Amino acid sequence: MEREIIGASAIALVAVIASLIYLSNRSVRKAQESALPEPSRPTQLTDGIAAFYVSTVFADSPLKRVWAWGLGGRGKALVTVEHDGVSIERQGELGLFISRDALTGVSRASATIDKGVEKDGLIALLWRLGSEELATHLRIVSRSQRQEFENEIREHFGVEIG
């Protein structure tokens, strides 16, 4: 009987901790949503470069993930550089459109909040959402597709990738 009580207590403790994490995350998301405007959404993409959406963080606080408006989750994506901005269509999540006017820079990175890769393996799109500057990190595994994406960024926006 003692083992069953200890087991039930451990399961209850895990459930309480999971609930606290969920409530804390929901609280952060709601606070961020009240401070940040909702980002633009892309039109449905049928063609694009295969990528992984890794994270969106505050540019001045790179260890602080943006949870607002569904930007917190990682996953597969299609990215397209258009004349008026960059479209990121995420699998299973809401997509994101970063307009040409909002884009402030593009750089390469090796790590973000919870992901580390080889040198310059991530592309960081620096952009403004309301009054906040954010950094959205993408991972394009294929070297040729990464080069194609970077060339399109240079072509369309005249931005050098640093």
Side-chain angles (χ1 to χ4, degrees):
M1 182 67 170
E2 195 173 299
R3 287 190 320 187
E4 289 82 7
I5 292 173
I6 292 172
S9 297
I11 290 172
L13 181 63
V14 168
V16 167
I17 291 171
S19 297
L20 290 172
I21 291 170
Y22 171 77
L23 292 172
S24 173
N25 189 11
R26 189 175 74 167
S27 169
V28 168
R29 181 180 50 82
K30 286 187 178 204
Q32 287 179 354
E33 285 178 359
S34 68
L36 294 170
E38 186 170 0
S40 300
R41 303 296 176 193
T43 57
Q44 189 71 22
L45 298 178
T46 55
D47 192 25
I49 295 173
F52 291 100
Y53 172 87
V54 179
S55 70
T56 296
V57 297
F58 291 93
D60 61 347
S61 299
L63 296 179
K64 188 174 178 186
R65 182 186 299 277
V66 176
W67 290 101
W69 310 114
L71 297 176
R74 290 175 41 178
K76 292 180 180 180
L78 283 178
V79 295
T80 304
V81 179
E82 303 164 7
H83 180 68
D84 55 344
V86 178
S87 290
I88 304 168
E89 185 66 40
R90 300 186 301 149
Q91 194 174 54
E93 297 284 346
L94 292 173
L96 174 64
F97 178 74
I98 302 171
S99 73
R100 171 187 206 107
D101 298 334
L103 192 67
T104 60
V106 181
S107 65
R108 293 184 189 103
S110 297
T112 184
I113 192 163
D114 63 352
K115 180 85 171 167
V117 296
E118 77 278 0
K119 185 176 187 316
D120 297 336
L122 297 174
I123 297 171
L125 302 174
L126 302 169
W127 59 289
R128 288 208 160 280
L129 182 59
S131 62
E132 290 289 337
E133 187 168 24
L134 306 178
T136 294
H137 294 88
L138 302 171
R139 171 112 165 100
I140 301 174
V141 179
S142 166
R143 182 172 279 167
S144 63
Q145 287 187 324
R146 186 176 340 142
Q147 190 64 44
E148 177 186 340
F149 180 78
E150 290 176 357
N151 289 339
E152 288 181 12
I153 289 282
R154 281 187 201 97
E155 235 177 71
H156 284 80
F157 307 121
V159 174
E160 272 308 310
I161 300 171

